[in-house]
Amino acid sequence: MNETIPQLRSYDELSLDAAFVTLAEEVRTAGSGDPETFRLHWLGRKQGRLKLISDAWLKSAPAEARKPLGIRFNQLKQQIEEALAVAAAAPSAPATKGGIDISLPGSVRAPGIPHPLLKTMNEIVAVFHHLGYSTALGPQVESDFYNFEALNFPPNHPARDTQDTLLLAGQQAKPSRDRLLMRTHTSPVQIRSMVAQAPPIRIVVPGKVHRNDAADTTHSPIFHQVEGLCVDTNITFSDLKGTLDHAMKALFGSGVKTRFFPSFFPFTEPSADVQISCIFCSGAGCRRCKHSGWIELLGCGMVDPTVFASVTAERRKLNPSDDAYNPAKITGFAFGMGVERIAMIQHGISDIGHFYSGDMRFLEQFA
Ligand code: PHE
């Protein structure tokens, strides 16, 4: 629309013929683009080329030239409309009309994958499923009773200081055992499962846990654990050792060794920390195992009779003669492991923050 208006020097028949032949030629050669653009260009009400030219030429035309000019402009308009009709009927380029251009590369849709944490968690759970364990779950918003009291952490006991707890607001009016908090470990599901079900019990409990810890390269205030509980007649510490030794070999390779170090948890007695021989240096000593040859991986122990007593007290609210968890008849073991820590060791990841960043460059490596 920025083209200049052609000059018309004289209004005799010959000059008019020549001028309109040029315009008709312009219409003919410009007709192959988008029909709507073409229409606006020529026939637009205010800025259309036909209007601009006819305004300019008619304004300066002597009276006797107006009629032949008008006739010629009408012919030109017809030619424009014909060109428009031809353009509108012609099939457009495939790209603009939804046709398929089979020469273009296809669009690749990447399938989703499990998050690396979920993958490791599923791997751990699968090892125990193969041993006959089933999965149990529990709430993340938990009561003081299930998270602490029933697990032999009495109110105000210093053992609670080992798990810096996120408490829900507005709980002060409730009795201490009913106050809500974010569970600090998956162990409350031990209690919930035993209250709900008589022995034998073999469960694994994957889930999120929360602690008021400052985030750094190895800590996150929300992380994941897999808990295990086995209660039956004649369960001994050697069953615990054999089960966890098998699980560590299944997760890290049959070459790893395990060792059990004395430890303390209020709800197990005796308690132990399980270490595996360093998978990076095979025990020779390196930076990752702090030159000890061993990596500490999980906590475990034999279920403390005090825990069975709490469970029995709960079960007797429903059945006063319940004796299913009499420690003279049954024993059990429990264990708990951090999923992040295991995934970091499996994949040689040095910063826990990568798991939560959502950075595709990190996540894609697990596809
Ligand atoms: N719940 C403990 C923790 O979070 C781990 C544990 C589970 C220890 C079961 C012994 C038995 O530290």
Side-chain angles (χ1 to χ4, degrees):
M1 259 163 246
N2 290 326
E3 286 108 323
T4 48
I5 308 295
Q7 292 287 317
L8 188 63
R9 290 188 203 290
S10 59
Y11 289 86
D12 59 276
E13 289 282 314
L14 263 175
S15 305
L16 289 183
D17 281 345
F20 277 90
V21 165
T22 310
L23 284 177
E25 181 67 10
E26 195 185 318
V27 168
R28 204 181 57 77
T29 53
S32 58
D34 172 47
E36 181 56 15
T37 313
F38 178 79
R39 192 189 64 77
L40 275 174
H41 177 77
W42 282 102
L43 302 178
R45 263 172 206 274
K46 291 195 177 141
Q47 294 294 307
R49 195 159 167 73
L50 185 66
K51 173 164 173 32
L52 294 179
I53 297 173
S54 60
D55 282 355
W57 288 2
L58 282 165
K59 200 168 66 184
S60 51
E64 72 278 11
R66 286 178 180 256
K67 196 173 173 199
L69 257 181
I71 292 168
R72 285 177 166 82
F73 275 121
N74 275 336
Q75 286 171 346
L76 182 64
K77 192 177 177 196
Q78 271 178 22
Q79 289 165 340
I80 294 167
E81 279 165 354
E82 274 164 25
L84 200 55
V86 171
S92 314
T96 58
K97 268 286 169 75
I100 296 170
D101 183 346
I102 58 166
S103 67
L104 289 173
S107 57
V108 179
R109 196 181 289 196
I113 54 144
H115 188 278
L117 277 180
L118 205 53
K119 211 168 141 186
T120 295
M121 195 146 87
N122 289 340
E123 266 172 47
I124 300 167
V125 165
V127 169
F128 291 97
H129 280 180
H130 282 117
L131 295 174
Y133 286 61
S134 36
T135 296
L137 301 172
Q140 291 178 52
V141 178
E142 187 52 283
S143 72
D144 185 283
F145 175 76
Y146 285 112
N147 195 81
F148 288 127
E149 220 177 298
L151 288 161
N152 197 25
F153 293 80
N156 303 316
H157 194 277
R160 294 192 176 206
D161 295 350
T162 60
Q163 303 188 355
D164 197 351
T165 310
L166 293 159
L167 305 168
L168 268 71
Q171 303 289 305
Q172 285 75 7
K174 295 181 181 173
S176 136
R177 63 170 272 155
D178 296 335
R179 292 183 192 166
L180 298 176
L181 44 81
M182 301 308 292
R183 70 175 178 194
T184 56
H185 51 176
T186 40
S187 303
V189 186
Q190 290 188 31
I191 308 297
R192 288 181 174 274
S193 301
M194 288 190 279
V195 169
Q197 183 194 324
I201 282 196
R202 283 175 180 76
I203 52 164
V204 262
V205 184
K208 269 190 177 61
V209 300
H210 305 249
R211 291 188 194 178
N212 186 26
D213 289 339
D216 62 24
T217 54
T218 54
H219 292 85
S220 158
I222 303 177
F223 61 105
H224 301 78
Q225 291 187 332
V226 176
E227 185 92 8
L229 174 69
C230 168
V231 181
D232 205 340
T233 48
N234 299 318
I235 299 294
T236 67
F237 198 87
S238 62
D239 294 314
L240 169 60
K241 284 189 77 172
T243 301
L244 291 180
D245 184 72
H246 165 80
M248 294 303 113
K249 287 179 163 65
L251 288 173
F252 293 103
S254 54
V256 301
K257 291 188 219 115
T258 52
R259 84 179 178 181
F260 289 70
F261 241 63
S263 184
F264 174 78
F265 299 101
F267 44 94
T268 48
E269 183 62 31
S271 304
D273 284 329
V274 182
Q275 304 176 347
I276 61 166
S277 53
C278 181
I279 59 164
F280 301 104
C281 64
S282 307
C286 69
R287 197 170 47 82
R288 290 186 192 271
C289 60
K290 301 198 182 95
H291 303 281
S292 69
W294 296 90
I295 293 178
E296 197 173 301
L297 223 50
L298 68 147
C300 66
M302 302 306 291
V303 178
D304 193 306
T306 318
V307 172
F308 289 139
S310 307
V311 168
T312 298
E314 284 304 292
R315 290 174 63 91
R316 285 191 177 160
K317 289 180 183 171
L318 292 173
N319 173 9
S321 61
D322 180 82
D323 199 35
Y325 286 91
N326 182 344
K329 295 185 201 157
I330 50 95
T331 48
F333 64 75
F335 55 86
M337 57 190 102
V339 178
E340 277 79 352
R341 186 163 162 72
I342 291 179
M344 286 169 82
I345 292 168
Q346 276 181 329
H347 303 296
I349 296 164
S350 54
D351 185 345
I352 198 171
H354 287 309
F355 289 126
Y356 319 116
S357 69
D359 187 335
M360 290 301 288
R361 292 168 302 177
F362 172 76
L363 296 172
E364 272 167 1
Q365 297 178 65
F366 302 92

